[in-house]
Structures are given as C-alpha cells and as structure tokens.
C-alpha cells in the first residue's frame, strides 16, 4: 500500500519518490494543497475501490496515517 501511495503522490507534487517516507507530512513536507490532497484521495478511491470518509481524512497528516487508514478500509 505504501509503495502504491508513493507512486500516486509523485503525480500531484514535485517530489522524488525516494524522499517520501511514512513520516512525510502531506502539506508541510510534500507541498500538497487541499485540492491536490482531495484529488489524490479521489484517485485512491477509484484505484482501491474504497470510499473515504471526508470527516476522517482531515485527521490524516502523514503518509503513514493514510496507509493505515486505507488498509483499514480494504479489510
């Protein structure tokens, strides 16, 4: 899941995939704005066939948070 998420992240922000860690923060470290983040989540919904809860995603600040959340949806 982490590698899959990294592949998608580089489509939205100018960052080298090798520099993305689970501790990377979407806004502060990777440079996401709210539109990019919502677009990424929409793509993840389609690719993983899940539905994200917009109230829950506001608490996702790091890539690791997103991985845990998405893995929970897949179960």
């Amino acid at each position: 899941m982490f590698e899959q998420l990294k592949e998608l992240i580089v489509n939205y922000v100018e960052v080298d995939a090798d520099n993305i860690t689970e501790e990377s923060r979407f806004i502060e470290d990777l440079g996401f704005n709210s539109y990019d983040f919502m677009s990424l989540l929409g793509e993840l919904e389609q690719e993983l066939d899940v539905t994200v809860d917009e109230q829950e995603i506001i608490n996702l600040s790091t890539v690791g948070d997103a991985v845990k959340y998405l893995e929970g949806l897949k179960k």
Side-chain angles (χ1 to χ4, degrees):
M1 179 71 65
F2 175 63
E3 291 300 319
Q4 188 175 12
L5 183 55
K6 279 181 21 176
E7 289 176 20
L8 293 175
I9 287 171
V10 297
N11 294 328
Y12 289 91
V13 292
E14 291 186 28
V15 64
D16 189 322
D18 293 335
N19 294 331
I20 300 171
T21 68
E22 290 199 21
E23 291 78 31
S24 296
R25 296 170 297 176
F26 285 103
I27 296 169
E28 295 89 344
D29 300 327
L30 302 176
F32 270 83
N33 61 39
S34 58
Y35 177 79
D36 290 335
F37 188 68
M38 294 307 291
S39 297
L40 170 67
L41 290 173
E43 188 171 348
L44 284 166
E45 283 184 315
Q46 290 179 342
E47 193 164 305
L48 301 175
D49 194 30
V50 296
T51 302
V52 297
D53 182 330
E54 290 186 19
Q55 296 300 318
E56 291 183 25
I57 61 168
I58 59 173
N59 298 318
L60 305 179
S61 61
T62 68
V63 173
D65 292 342
V67 168
K68 288 176 193 157
Y69 176 71
L70 293 166
E71 286 175 342
L73 291 178
K74 290 297 289 179
K75 292 182 179 179

